[in-house]
Amino acid sequence: MEKKQVKVGLMGLGTVGTGVVRIVDAHQEDLFNQTGLSIEIHKILVQDKEKARSIVIDQEKITTNADDLIEDPDIDVIVEVIGGIHPTKDYLLKALAKGKNVVTANKDLMALHGAELLHKAQEKKCDVFYEASVAGGIPILRALVEGFSSDRITKMMGIVNGTTNYIMTKMSKEGAEYREVLAEAQALGYAESDPTADVEGFDAARKMAILSTLGFRVPMNLEDVQVRGISKVNKEDIAYGKKLGYEVKLLGIARRDNDEIEVSVQPTMVHKSHPLASVNGVFNAVYVHGEAVGETMFYGPGAGEMPTATAVVSDLISVVKNMKLGVNGRGTVAPYKEKKLKTDDKKFSKYFIRLIVADKRGVLAQITNLLAEKDVSLDQVIQQPYQDSGQSEIVMVTHTSSKYNVASVLKTLEGMDVISEIKSYYQVEGTDKEAGAVHNE
Ligand SMILES: NC(=O)c1ccc[n+]([C@@H]2O[C@H](COP(=O)([O-])OP(=O)(O)OC[C@H]3O[C@@H](n4cnc5c(N)ncnc54)[C@H](OP(=O)(O)O)[C@@H]3O)[C@@H](O)[C@H]2O)c1
């Protein structure tokens, strides 16, 4: 007999899980019209059965035993919105082994163990969809897999962590220091009490591993992503950046040249003419450059109950459509290209460097001679007295140079008598001619 209803096992009833229940309840008619099947949340796994919930739920559906979902032969799809690696990985592997399709919002799990889950899914002819794991409400994964399937993506840059973008925006708009803004973000609930995963760039790195795997069709691991967080960004860097035409953003950067790839997360000077420079507050955005299409950008809420739940339910709809057609697990294209990571001599960018130097005649000349020796040339320079210290501050932006050469410049500068301190250095983006993304300077 043909199926009339799809039964869902929902793991987690927190922020996102609650949104999923709301959308499935409110959109029954649309869901039926789109899929030809009605969708029922059949059982819900939580940690604490007695917890007060903001929605009315039939208590009979709630359980604290994952096997009530995994072993239930009536359940066709598991929607996992618990988060973390344990016990979710085991739950999902078991569910796949039982032939259940999976929808998850879990970037930690997908960045670290996505390949294993996807393999299991292929073996069992099941779907694993995870749109909500990157940039919450923005349908970027679907865009990469389907929208860009005929193109060749050369570059992706993402503001994929709302907490750090909130902090960088506040620092820029108010001239405030990092510590003050972080404390305020924590008080407002925009940052966790332990903010390490966000501010040190680890959360963004997970999302960039997922984006680059799908965008470049290469199996990228988390260890392949070079990470630097925002905890050392100070208000002077931001002020100098502005003077020279840049905003500092925590940017995920994934780039492919001649089949060689680099992926990083780092605080970056983004030229103000680039659309990413005006992505403010907790919003997310992903810029994608395709060889054929040129520049595109996807912008929207990166988190929150309803935006994230929308992405989850859209994945659920895809699973149900596939069920109707009997093609679950057939649409997944495993990364099929060999992974070739660039060495530092093949990574090119402009750089912002800020130095405190002795206020002596000829210092700037010494620095420019060193740069010339290392094949690094200057695009912009500011030199001015440094506070009342009798020293000078030099802020410079290089022309496009290799990371290897710039690292070598920084190392030599460190050992020079006339240099008191290398205050900071940042990669500069948004004026990048090789990627075809030329913005007005
Ligand atoms: N929140 C967002 O805006 C957002 C955005 C994008 C992606 N995500 C991802 O979505 C997932 C869920 O996030 P969330 O914010 O909804 O989390 P949350 O509010 O903390 O909810 C987690 C839910 O999982 C349940 N749970 C936790 N540990 C469990 C366990 N061991 N066994 C059974 N149930 C357990 C909790 O049960 P109790 O209710 O009984 O405590 C709760 O219902 C995470 O992977 C997160 O990264 C969230």
Side-chain angles (χ1 to χ4, degrees):
M1 201 176 67
E2 206 187 337
K3 229 176 175 28
K4 295 224 166 52
Q5 191 177 51
V6 172
K7 293 191 193 297
V8 175
L10 178 62
M11 292 186 168
L13 188 59
T15 306
V16 183
T18 303
V20 168
V21 174
R22 284 190 214 279
I23 293 178
V24 170
D25 279 353
H27 295 190
Q28 270 302 323
E29 197 183 325
D30 282 336
L31 296 179
F32 182 80
N33 284 329
Q34 286 187 66
T35 63
L37 293 168
S38 69
I39 296 176
E40 188 218 358
I41 309 273
H42 192 59
K43 281 184 187 149
I44 304 175
L45 175 68
V46 296
Q47 207 168 24
D48 176 4
K49 237 180 140 175
E50 307 310 318
K51 201 182 210 175
R53 308 281 165 186
S54 59
I55 42 172
V56 180
I57 298 273
D58 177 356
Q59 274 302 115
E60 295 279 289
K61 292 190 172 186
I62 296 195
T63 176
T64 52
N65 181 359
D67 284 341
D68 288 347
L69 284 68
I70 296 166
E71 303 291 338
D72 184 338
D74 291 339
I75 289 181
D76 310 286
V77 190
I78 294 289
V79 171
E80 184 274 308
V81 282
I82 292 176
I85 308 291
H86 304 292
T88 47
K89 183 185 162 205
D90 288 344
Y91 290 170
L92 296 190
L93 283 172
K94 275 195 204 165
L96 288 167
K98 293 270 169 197
K100 299 191 191 309
N101 300 290
V102 166
V103 172
T104 175
N106 194 330
K107 75 227 151 206
D108 303 320
L109 189 58
M110 290 314 293
L112 290 162
H113 303 286
E116 187 179 347
L117 288 164
L118 292 167
H119 262 115
K120 185 56 131 185
Q122 256 183 346
E123 179 195 318
K124 303 301 288 186
K125 300 203 169 30
C126 294
D127 290 327
V128 172
F129 292 142
Y130 46 101
E131 182 65 71
S133 65
V134 180
I138 310 174
I140 182 65
L141 302 191
R142 200 165 267 116
L144 293 180
V145 172
E146 291 170 17
F148 284 89
S149 56
S150 65
D151 205 348
R152 199 160 180 275
I153 294 170
T154 52
K155 189 169 187 179
M156 290 177 278
M157 295 198 287
I159 292 176
V160 287
N161 180 274
T163 304
T164 46
N165 203 46
Y166 173 85
I167 294 172
M168 298 315 302
T169 304
K170 272 263 176 180
M171 285 178 73
S172 170
K173 289 209 186 307
E174 295 173 8
E177 274 300 1
Y178 168 75
R179 291 268 150 220
E180 292 164 38
V181 181
L182 172 62
E184 197 187 314
Q186 284 171 318
L188 288 168
Y190 290 147
E192 308 264 345
S193 51
D194 176 1
T196 314
D198 291 320
V199 300
E200 295 308 339
F202 306 135
D203 173 83
R206 288 171 183 195
K207 293 164 178 170
M208 290 311 295
I210 295 173
L211 286 178
S212 50
T213 297
L214 292 177
F216 297 145
R217 332 262 188 235
V218 165
M220 296 295 286
N221 298 323
L222 196 52
E223 307 84 73
D224 301 324
V225 184
Q226 296 199 328
V227 189
R228 183 153 72 107
I230 61 162
S231 56
K232 295 205 169 59
V233 176
N234 56 55
K235 63 181 185 186
E236 287 79 23
D237 294 334
I238 293 179
Y240 274 117
K242 277 190 167 172
K243 223 176 198 172
L244 293 165
Y246 304 100
E247 289 288 345
V248 183
K249 297 285 182 192
L250 183 72
L251 220 61
I253 305 169
R255 193 169 161 166
R256 166 163 68 185
D257 294 284
N258 302 323
D259 272 336
E260 291 193 323
I261 287 171
E262 62 180 287
V263 185
S264 64
V265 169
Q266 56 191 307
T268 306
M269 292 273 172
V270 183
H271 195 268
K272 64 180 187 307
S273 63
H274 193 282
L276 283 169
S278 46
V279 174
N280 287 325
V282 293
F283 275 91
N284 280 200
V286 181
Y287 162 96
V288 184
H289 184 269
E291 255 173 22
V293 72
E295 294 182 85
T296 62
M297 195 161 100
F298 301 79
Y299 171 85
E305 177 184 322
M306 297 311 272
T308 312
T310 306
V312 171
V313 179
S314 296
D315 277 350
L316 179 57
I317 291 176
S318 299
V319 169
V320 177
K321 284 181 174 167
N322 285 349
M323 283 174 65
K324 186 98 181 147
L325 296 169
V327 295
N328 295 100
R330 313 294 202 283
T332 317
V333 181
Y336 54 90
K337 295 202 178 192
E338 191 195 341
K339 178 168 68 185
K340 288 187 224 155
L341 296 177
K342 285 188 202 174
T343 45
D344 284 353
D345 57 327
K346 292 185 179 160
K347 298 175 185 170
F348 289 93
S349 177
K350 294 172 76 156
Y351 284 85
F352 168 108
I353 300 170
R354 181 157 77 93
L355 307 167
I356 309 300
V357 304
D359 195 7
K360 287 188 193 156
R361 194 184 284 245
V363 173
L364 187 56
Q366 275 189 56
I367 294 171
T368 45
N369 284 343
L370 165 69
L371 291 171
E373 250 173 58
K374 308 276 184 191
D375 205 18
V376 176
S377 61
L378 288 182
D379 184 14
Q380 293 163 290
V381 186
I382 300 175
Q383 181 171 14
Q384 60 182 46
Y386 179 57
Q387 297 164 353
D388 290 328
S389 65
Q391 301 177 94
S392 273
E393 187 164 30
I394 294 179
V395 178
M396 47 199 185
V397 176
T398 70
H399 283 297
T400 299
S401 312
S402 79
K403 183 174 179 178
Y404 179 86
N405 284 350
V406 171
S408 164
V409 164
L410 291 170
K411 196 153 192 289
T412 313
L413 285 172
E414 239 169 33
M416 280 167 68
D417 287 347
V418 291
I419 310 288
S420 314
E421 191 182 350
I422 299 173
K423 278 279 183 192
S424 56
Y425 66 94
Y426 297 93
Q427 200 162 309
V428 172
E429 287 292 340
T431 57
D432 185 350
K433 294 180 176 65
E434 292 105 316
V438 185
H439 296 270
N440 299 323
E441 284 181 64

